[in-house]
Amino acid sequence: MSVKHLVIAGSVLLAAAPGEALPTMADVPALAKAAVARRIEVPPSAIHILAAKPSERMPGFVVCGRIDASALNDSAGAEGGERFFVVIPGDFAILEQDGKGLVDSYWSANHCD
């Protein structure tokens, strides 16, 4: 899938390639796990989807989840694992290691807590 990333005033805008159909809710868990797996090397069984729902702000879906602490090689999120946020389409994963405040913002804005 071709994806365009645009940075606008500190926000990330993700868009599917023109003419591509939006994924369905049934596609979302697998797409989200694949997006996380591209960012961090952990087994798929360590990636847990906590919430997946239609986005209130754009076409597509948002996914919130956590990676098992036991699967992480470093101290990132060692207590309860590492949180993540994924936007579908776009398959772009934001991990807690990218900035806890960033993940906090996305989780709060999308009612993941």
Side-chain angles (χ1 to χ4, degrees):
M1 177 188 318
S2 174
V3 179
K4 294 182 181 178
H5 298 260
L6 302 173
V7 178
I8 301 172
S11 297
V12 177
L13 174 66
L14 302 168
E20 288 188 33
L22 285 177
T24 66
M25 189 62 191
D27 302 322
V28 169
L31 291 171
K33 284 186 174 195
V36 172
R38 279 193 298 277
R39 294 286 322 278
I40 189 168
E41 194 171 320
V42 295
S45 61
I47 302 169
H48 302 285
I49 307 296
L50 303 177
K53 56 191 169 188
S55 174
E56 296 173 0
R57 293 177 172 77
M58 62 188 146
F61 303 92
V62 294
V63 180
C64 305
R66 189 173 296 277
I67 301 166
D68 285 338
S70 61
L72 300 171
N73 293 331
D74 55 24
S75 61
E79 291 293 314
E82 182 163 351
R83 295 178 306 153
F84 63 82
F85 182 82
V86 179
V87 175
I88 307 289
D91 307 333
F92 181 76
I94 299 168
L95 305 175
E96 214 159 22
Q97 67 189 14
D98 297 326
K100 184 181 179 310
L102 184 60
V103 173
D104 287 344
S105 295
Y106 279 107
W107 271 47
S108 177
N110 290 280
H111 314 290
C112 295
D113 298 326

